[in-house]
Amino acid sequence: MLPWSAPSELRKYTSITSASASAKGSSGDSDKMTAEIPALPEPAHPHLDSMLSRKFGKEVANYFSGSPLNRVSFLRTDHTFLSAALKHPTTSFLLFHNLNPLAKDPATLHYLRFADVRPLVGDDPYSKTEAKLVSEYNSTVTTPQLLFLGLDERNKQGLTHAIYTGAPYFALDVTPKGTIASQAESLIQNLQSRGLKFLEGRIQAALPAQDAAIYAQARALLDWNARNPFCAQCGQPTLSINGGTKRTCPPKDMANLKGAIGGTVGTEPTERPDCATRKGISNVCFPRTDPTIIVAVVSSDSKRVLIGRQKRWPPYWYSTLAGFVEPAESVEEAVRREVWEESGVKLGRVVIHSTQPWPYPANLMIGAVAQCIPGGEEIVLKHDPELEDARWADMDEIREALRVGTSALGESAQEGYKEGNLRLPAGTAIANQLLTAVAGGFVGEAPKI
């Protein structure tokens, strides 16, 4: 084991069970019990020996990553393939209502078959080519938002297309809206009558790792589609294409429509106003992903960790520092800037540890470990007022909090937690992974990087 790899006794801290939750030692509602934290996904090829793994250690996979699906993104424009995938007997559909996924319970998603969603999506929304659908676009007709997520190639009984075989997965937004409102409402009522429900709440962190990754992909793309119904350049309505992963501004519209720049008239497809997105190579809108740094900051002597808290958090709760990467800024520069702005601490070396998709709505958390420069450890909170407090915690305090003081925000700690001690994020948060790494020796007195 490399000296900066987390030892097994530290890794087990990220596995929390509700049976031993201590209400006495909780922050917030004393009736809340600590939800069982699902296991994290396995990284790709975890047992494969390589020069990189020997030099830098085992890859770290975070919650919301590790999808079992092959996205086969190059097949998203192939409507012959999508049509076959839609109706295959092994195909699964994950439904969302107001971005809440359909489930049996908080830890179990419920997938449907084509027959269940056919009343909403129709016999075959992929029966026409993408080019034909664009040419026949009618902005007054609501099209159900359908996403092709990928193929589960573990299922050898799945759809075979060319050299690819797997069970197809789709996501479908059933939020009642526009001309499909009544069909969507009927479908929702039918599902609820069967004892199913749409999981409410901002963050779903009780799902098994692979289901969580499928959910994250679907939620992020559905949210992006819902936020971008109009062209950012000309203000006209856009059309979802490429299996739900792109949007285009059609040149014609079957509707009588007045837009932001001009209007269309008549009953035949008419030209819409000129739009820069239809010229050159910038002719489609791509999903947005916002890069965000999150960092475990270690003191110059490697014996303490910088932690901070926001005012809205329950007492004793702290985490690592985080912030958005700005345009024309490297990840390393963003880490140094954000830490200085929020805490006044000055950093030297920055190393990327791991990353985490965060579909709320579309962040990529870039986890880093950084070390202070000598003399740069003074905490100053007068720059950016985001933090209520920031402080240094020694490694033993971090280790103890990882052992008995982690959970989702506001939930109970584990048995053995003492009221007033440090609380940290659960194992499904990349902050926990970063703190586990530094507490396990990622940065030490001897050079490790």
Side-chain angles (χ1 to χ4, degrees), residues 61-134:
N62 288 291
Y63 197 67
F64 292 131
S65 68
S67 174
L69 304 183
N70 180 348
R71 300 193 184 197
V72 286
S73 60
F74 45 86
L75 293 178
R76 291 171 182 160
T77 57
D78 186 340
H79 278 210
T80 300
F81 163 73
L82 291 178
S83 180
L86 188 80
K87 295 173 281 189
H88 197 269
T90 64
T91 299
S92 297
F93 293 83
L94 180 59
L95 273 55
F96 286 76
H97 179 212
N98 290 326
L99 299 179
N100 299 318
L102 185 66
K104 297 177 181 177
D105 56 63
T108 312
L109 296 178
H110 186 78
Y111 297 92
L112 299 179
R113 298 302 183 192
F114 176 64
D116 299 308
V117 302
R118 185 174 181 176
L120 184 62
V121 303
D123 291 337
D124 188 356
Y126 302 115
S127 61
K128 299 179 181 179
T129 66
E130 193 168 274
K132 185 69 172 175
L133 291 175
V134 171

Side-chain angles (χ1 to χ4, degrees), residues 2 11 56 84-85 101 140 143 224 229 294 329 355 441:
L2 291 174
R11 287 177 182 165
F56 297 107
T140 64
T143 302
W224 170 74
I294 182 167
E329 184 177 48
T355 59

Side-chain angles (χ1 to χ4, degrees), residues 35-318:
E36 185 171 354
I37 303 300
L40 296 176
E42 279 285 341
H45 313 295
H47 306 296
L48 181 66
D49 183 41
S50 69
M51 292 178 63
L52 285 176
S53 62
R54 289 195 297 272
K55 185 174 180 62
F56 297 107
K58 179 181 177 181
E59 182 178 321
V60 175
N62 288 291
Y63 197 67
F64 292 131
S65 68
S67 174
L69 304 183
N70 180 348
R71 300 193 184 197
V72 286
S73 60
F74 45 86
L75 293 178
R76 291 171 182 160
T77 57
D78 186 340
H79 278 210
T80 300
F81 163 73
L82 291 178
S83 180
L86 188 80
K87 295 173 281 189
H88 197 269
T90 64
T91 299
S92 297
F93 293 83
L94 180 59
L95 273 55
F96 286 76
H97 179 212
N98 290 326
L99 299 179
N100 299 318
L102 185 66
K104 297 177 181 177
D105 56 63
T108 312
L109 296 178
H110 186 78
Y111 297 92
L112 299 179
R113 298 302 183 192
F114 176 64
D116 299 308
V117 302
R118 185 174 181 176
L120 184 62
V121 303
D123 291 337
D124 188 356
Y126 302 115
S127 61
K128 299 179 181 179
T129 66
E130 193 168 274
K132 185 69 172 175
L133 291 175
V134 171
S135 69
E136 296 179 351
Y137 176 64
N138 186 335
S139 62
T140 64
V141 177
T142 306
T143 302
Q145 185 59 61
L146 190 61
L147 307 175
F148 172 66
L149 301 177
L151 297 175
D152 185 349
E153 294 176 313
R154 298 171 300 176
N155 189 336
K156 303 306 179 184
Q157 305 304 313
L159 171 69
T160 295
H161 179 84
I163 62 173
Y164 314 103
T165 297
Y169 276 70
F170 288 83
L172 175 65
D173 184 3
V174 299
T175 306
K177 61 182 70 173
T179 58
I180 59 170
S182 60
Q183 297 97 316
E185 288 168 355
S186 296
L187 178 56
I188 291 170
Q189 291 171 5
N190 176 267
L191 296 172
Q192 291 174 337
S193 71
R194 293 158 54 181
L196 300 170
K197 57 185 177 181
F198 292 92
L199 295 180
E200 296 184 355
R202 177 175 174 269
I203 297 175
Q204 304 300 332
L207 300 170
Q210 293 188 340
D211 276 339
I214 294 173
Y215 155 79
Q217 178 190 359
R219 189 195 189 282
L221 284 168
L222 288 176
D223 192 353
W224 170 74
N225 275 282
R227 289 171 184 261
N228 292 273
F230 299 103
C231 176
Q233 199 279 330
C234 71
Q236 299 283 351
T238 55
L239 174 67
S240 177
I241 59 172
N242 205 249
T245 63
K246 297 179 184 178
R247 299 190 70 87
T248 188
C249 183
K252 298 180 180 181
D253 194 342
M254 296 287 290
N256 295 326
L257 171 67
K258 187 162 187 174
I261 290 181
T264 60
V265 294
T267 57
E268 295 298 320
T270 53
E271 296 289 337
R272 302 211 297 187
D274 276 346
C275 180
T277 65
R278 303 189 207 113
K279 300 175 182 178
I281 61 173
S282 301
N283 54 2
V284 291
C285 179
F286 290 85
R288 173 173 172 169
T289 296
D290 299 322
T292 308
I293 62 92
I294 182 167
V295 55
V297 175
V298 180
S299 60
S300 59
D301 63 3
S302 305
K303 295 180 179 179
R304 297 173 297 158
V305 182
L306 180 66
I307 51 177
R309 60 170 279 109
Q310 296 182 10
K311 186 176 181 179
R312 63 184 178 85
W313 291 357
Y316 320 123
W317 285 78
Y318 283 78

